[in-house]
């Protein structure tokens, strides 16, 4: 009998299944990118050159502080920096004869032990789990004893702001005058919660947010090491989504690689920008651009249809508002030539540049304010889609209203065209200072009584203008409504005639009527009161008193330039 089944012919109908290939044994369990690429030297710590230079000079000059505080947003390297400082202070070099250095060797026993988290003299403590005074007392008792095998005994306290007030107070004396063999390294994301008495005893380092450019280069290098291809816009999307945090960015990159593997059926895969956009729940740029175009063109129905279509695809309403805000911000920056987004396609860049030329700062600012307020409402809403739809309608119909400066200019110009809303501007027809969009119905302008008088006077209705100036005492004045106190000198036909003229001049319906209630002084009353007040103040001037004493018959009169002068 043969030793191998392969030596015998297979019997018909009894073919055995092929033995599957055994996978190669993995070197170890998978480590996420944030841990795998944690910086092991100061050279690998990106974006913190100023801090590294300061530490290097302090070590070279033997001017080391006894306590360091690292602060900054999440994921910029606070805890990693603390571990690197511990390695730098305790490194003995490959030959065992080295001293503190800004470039720890990474191969000596202290460096390897600290890297692996097993050094007995480097104690890491999470202040979020050890907040009480008893935990700090253990540290105070332990610092009296010398390091077992290292040059310095180092305490790394993460999220130090979580310590209680009593714990901070117990630590103060030891923190100010620790034994020479002890160093404290604190890390926190909320430095404002750390007592000033603690801050004053530490050398503070504010770690910077990592810029998208640095993150793009860092993530590109990691992808190359991992053997994964990625589109440049996809990497830019991840770099921007990280918001300055390396750890957050690496977590997103890990997810993007897994997503690419699933899409491609295994292997290294290829990370596409659209996949990243879907993964992050971001609105599609082209759809947001279409939504913005519908807003600018005053197409309320089209804007709502686009929003509902995106919602059906799983895009959250608040994400659509953020997309519109980002686009508004981009257009505004493009007006001052300060918009640079490498993730943009040529079509998107051309579209933003076109809007930047056609839209003025005033409508863009109004659009931004409306979206900013709407973002908070949609974020807190029980039914976000309904709030989004109402926000879009509000933006379309409110963003076109003229600001006070523009309204004043229109009134100065006079005529019916001055206060009528401009026609809805399409992308090609909008002028540089055009509003974001014009509603189909003319909004009622909010006018003061002085503006109404000026409008009547400039449009040739001098009699009505004189009556408004001299006789009209306003009880209530709102857009489209004027209620005035009845006086005998105003005939019963005055209200009808004034309403018709205002309707003709503004293009909006006005209700003008006499009423009862407390009325404000007329424009003539205001002018006379102001003139009397000026006359009284002028008569109190010493030079005027002397002139009147010398010429008793003199009196103050107003010339054609509205300047008061003496007349005998």
């Amino acid at each position: 009998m043969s030793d191998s089944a392969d030596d015998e012919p297979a019997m018909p109908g009894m073919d055995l299944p092929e033995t599957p290939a055994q996978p190669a044994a993995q070197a170890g369990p998978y480590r996420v990118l944030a841990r795998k690429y944690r910086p092991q030297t100061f050279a690998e710590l990106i974006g913190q050159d100023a801090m590294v230079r300061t530490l290097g000079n302090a070590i070279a000059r033997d001017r080391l502080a006894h306590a360091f505080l690292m602060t900054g947003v999440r994921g910029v390297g606070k805890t990693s920096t603390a571990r690197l400082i511990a390695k730098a202070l305790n490194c003995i070099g490959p030959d065992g004869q080295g001293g503190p250095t800004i470039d720890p060797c990474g191969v000596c026993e202290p460096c390897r032990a600290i890297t692996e988290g097993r050094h007995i003299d480097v104690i890491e403590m999470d202040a979020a789990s050890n907040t009480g005074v008893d935990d700090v007392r253990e540290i105070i008792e332990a610092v009296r004893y010398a390091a077992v095998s290292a040059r310095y005994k180092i305490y790394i306290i993460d999220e130090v702001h979580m310590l209680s007030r009593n714990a901070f107070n117990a630590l103060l004396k030891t923190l100010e005058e620790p034994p020479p063999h002890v160093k404290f390294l604190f890390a926190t994301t909320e430095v404002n919660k750390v007592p000033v008495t603690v801050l004053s005893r530490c050398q503070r380092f504010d770690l910077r947010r990592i810029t998208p450019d640095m993150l793009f280069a860092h993530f590109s290098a990691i992808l190359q090491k991992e053997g994964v291809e990625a589109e440049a816009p996809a990497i830019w999307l991840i770099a921007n989504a990280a918001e300055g945090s390396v750890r957050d960015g690496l977590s997103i990159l890990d997810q993007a690689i897994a997503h690419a593997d699933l899409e491609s059926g295994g292997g290294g895969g290829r990370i596409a920008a659209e996949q990243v956009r879907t993964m992050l729940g971001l609105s599609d740029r082209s759809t947001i651009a279409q939504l913005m175009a519908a807003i600018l063109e005053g197409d309320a129905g089209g804007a709502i249809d686009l929003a509902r279509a995106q919602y059906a695809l799983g895009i959250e309403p608040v994400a659509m508002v953020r997309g519109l805000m980002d686009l508004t911000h981009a257009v505004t920056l493009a007006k001052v030539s300060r918009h640079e987004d490498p993730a943009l396609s040529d079509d998107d860049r051309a579209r933003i540049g076109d809007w930047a030329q056609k839209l003025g700062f005033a409508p863009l600012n109004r659009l931004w304010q409306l979206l900013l307020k709407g973002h908070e409402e949609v974020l807190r809403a029980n039914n976000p889609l309904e709030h989004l739809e109402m926000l879009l309608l509000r933006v379309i119909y409110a963003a076109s209203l003229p600001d006070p400066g523009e309204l004043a200019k229109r009134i100065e110009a006079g005529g019916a065209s001055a206060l009528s809303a401009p026609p809805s501007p399409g992308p090609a027809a909008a002028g540089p200072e055009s509003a974001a969009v014009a509603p189909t119905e003319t909004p009622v302008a909010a006018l003061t009584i002085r503006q109404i008088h000026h409008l009547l006077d400039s449009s040739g209705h001098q009699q009505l203008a004189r009556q408004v100036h001299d006789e009209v005492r306003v009880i209530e004045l709102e857009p489209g409504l004027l209620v005035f106190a009845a006086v005998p000198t105003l005939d019963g036909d005055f209200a009808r005639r004034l309403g018709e003229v205002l309707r003709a001049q503004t293009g909006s319906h006005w209700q003008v009527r006499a009423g009862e209630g407390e009325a404000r002084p007329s424009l003539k009353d205001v002018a006379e009161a102001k003139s009397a007040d000026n006359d009284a103040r002028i008569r109190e001037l010493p030079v005027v008193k002397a002139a009147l004493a010398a010429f008793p018959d003199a009196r103050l009169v107003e010339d054609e330039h509205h300047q008061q002068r003496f007349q005998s």
Side-chain angles (χ1 to χ4, degrees):
M1 186 173 179
S2 173
D3 293 336
S4 173
D6 293 339
D7 295 335
E8 298 180 0
M11 296 180 64
M14 298 291 294
D15 292 342
L16 297 177
E18 295 182 3
T19 302
Q22 297 296 323
Q26 293 185 353
Y30 174 72
R31 286 194 302 163
V32 296
L33 298 181
R35 293 189 60 193
K36 184 176 181 180
Y37 292 99
R38 182 187 291 271
Q40 300 301 322
T41 65
F42 282 105
E44 297 176 2
L45 191 67
I46 62 174
Q48 312 300 341
D49 297 340
M51 181 197 67
V52 173
R53 184 166 56 252
T54 302
L55 282 173
N57 293 341
I59 292 174
R61 298 169 184 172
D62 195 20
R63 298 180 64 88
L64 288 169
H66 54 265
F68 298 89
L69 175 70
M70 274 68 68
T71 179
V73 298
R74 67 195 184 282
V76 293
K78 298 182 296 297
T79 307
S80 296
T81 299
R83 293 175 181 172
L84 290 176
I85 294 175
K87 290 167 64 174
L89 298 182
N90 284 326
C91 179
I92 59 176
D95 58 358
Q97 304 299 317
T101 173
I102 195 63
D103 296 312
C105 65
V107 297
C108 65
E109 176 57 25
C111 284
R112 288 189 288 109
I114 294 172
T115 299
E116 297 168 7
R118 57 179 175 82
H119 201 295
I120 193 173
D121 292 319
V122 178
I123 301 96
E124 290 196 34
M125 168 182 163
D126 178 19
S129 305
N130 304 274
T131 62
V133 66
D134 292 336
D135 301 305
V136 173
R137 283 177 182 154
E138 292 181 9
I139 297 176
I140 296 173
E141 291 295 326
V143 296
R144 296 183 299 173
Y145 303 103
V148 176
S149 62
R151 185 178 296 111
Y152 293 102
K153 178 180 284 189
I154 295 177
Y155 289 90
I156 300 176
I157 304 181
D158 200 9
E159 299 300 337
V160 70
H161 67 273
M162 299 291 288
L163 290 179
S164 67
R165 181 176 295 276
N166 290 337
F168 274 124
N169 291 336
L171 188 62
L172 285 179
K173 186 63 177 177
T174 303
L175 188 61
E176 185 170 17
E177 298 178 1
H181 60 272
V182 174
K183 301 291 182 186
F184 288 97
L185 305 177
F186 301 142
T188 178
T189 54
E190 300 184 49
V191 69
N192 59 301
K193 294 185 179 180
V194 179
V196 178
T197 50
V198 173
L199 294 176
S200 64
R201 290 167 168 82
C202 301
Q203 190 171 100
R204 172 174 168 175
F205 293 106
D206 289 85
L207 276 67
R208 298 171 46 195
R209 286 181 182 268
I210 313 303
T211 64
D213 294 350
M214 293 180 179
L215 290 175
F216 177 85
H218 186 56
F219 297 160
S220 297
I222 289 176
L223 287 171
Q224 187 174 4
K225 294 176 184 177
E226 294 291 314
V228 178
E229 296 182 3
E231 298 177 357
I235 305 176
W236 279 113
L237 286 172
I238 296 173
N240 288 323
E243 296 181 345
S245 170
V246 180
R247 184 176 62 240
D248 287 7
L250 289 176
S251 298
I252 298 172
L253 189 61
D254 238 334
Q255 185 180 358
I257 292 175
H259 191 73
D261 288 346
L262 292 174
E263 291 291 331
S264 62
R270 178 179 174 83
I271 302 175
E274 289 306 314
Q275 293 174 350
V276 173
R277 207 173 268 286
T278 303
M279 181 187 74
L280 295 176
L282 300 176
S283 295
D284 179 59
R285 283 185 186 271
S286 60
T287 304
I288 290 296
Q290 294 174 22
L291 188 57
M292 177 67 84
I295 291 174
L296 297 181
E297 293 170 359
D299 184 4
I304 290 178
D305 289 342
L306 284 169
R308 289 178 177 176
Q310 285 286 285
Y311 185 75
L313 292 175
I315 304 300
E316 290 297 326
V318 70
M320 287 183 259
V321 179
R322 281 199 298 266
L324 289 171
M325 292 176 68
D326 290 341
L327 191 51
T328 304
H329 177 255
V331 173
T332 307
L333 289 185
K335 287 189 69 66
V336 292
S337 303
R338 287 296 182 273
H339 180 253
E340 298 177 0
D341 187 353
L344 284 179
S345 65
D346 293 338
D347 291 341
D348 290 335
R349 192 172 286 106
R351 185 184 296 112
I352 289 174
D354 185 50
W355 282 334
Q357 290 181 355
K358 294 176 179 177
L359 297 174
F361 283 109
L364 285 172
N365 180 63
R366 288 195 296 276
L367 184 58
W368 173 263
Q369 293 297 332
L370 289 165
L371 291 173
L372 182 62
K373 186 175 186 300
H375 179 268
E376 299 176 1
E377 296 175 357
V378 174
L379 191 62
R380 299 193 304 263
N382 294 327
N383 193 327
L385 180 60
E386 288 184 357
H387 279 69
L388 173 63
E389 292 176 352
M390 295 303 295
L391 171 61
L392 293 175
L393 293 175
R394 186 195 315 162
V395 169
I396 289 174
Y397 288 104
S400 64
L401 294 178
D403 56 49
E406 183 181 350
L407 181 60
K409 291 179 181 178
R410 292 188 185 182
I411 294 175
E412 289 290 336
S417 61
L419 291 177
S420 298
S424 178
E433 291 298 328
S434 63
V437 65
T440 56
E441 296 180 1
T442 302
V444 180
L447 302 176
T448 66
I449 191 63
R450 190 175 299 277
Q451 291 171 335
I452 291 176
H453 168 258
H454 184 84
L455 178 62
L456 295 171
D457 187 60
S458 62
S459 59
H461 298 82
Q462 275 72 27
Q463 182 182 2
L464 279 176
R466 182 191 58 76
Q467 290 176 304
V468 167
H469 182 275
D470 295 347
E471 307 295 340
V472 171
R473 293 171 177 85
V474 176
I475 297 176
E476 184 178 359
L477 178 57
E478 296 179 357
L481 173 65
L482 171 59
V483 181
F484 59 91
V487 293
T489 52
L490 292 178
D491 55 51
D493 199 40
F494 168 77
R496 181 190 61 79
R497 289 187 291 112
L498 180 58
E500 291 178 353
V501 172
L502 287 177
R503 186 183 304 113
Q505 294 300 312
T506 64
S508 304
H509 176 73
W510 277 82
Q511 182 182 1
V512 181
R513 59 182 172 83
E516 296 182 356
E518 185 178 355
R520 298 192 288 272
S522 67
L523 295 176
K524 180 180 179 181
D525 295 338
V526 173
E528 289 177 347
K530 182 178 179 181
S531 178
D533 181 65
N534 289 339
D535 185 273
R537 286 190 290 106
I538 291 174
R539 289 179 180 275
E540 291 299 319
L541 296 175
V543 64
V544 175
K545 286 183 176 181
L548 290 175
F551 304 97
D553 296 332
R555 59 190 179 89
L556 285 172
V557 296
E558 193 173 84
D559 61 16
E560 64 275 11
H561 301 293
H562 304 285
Q563 300 293 325
Q564 290 181 319
R565 59 184 178 83
F566 287 109
Q567 187 179 72
S568 299

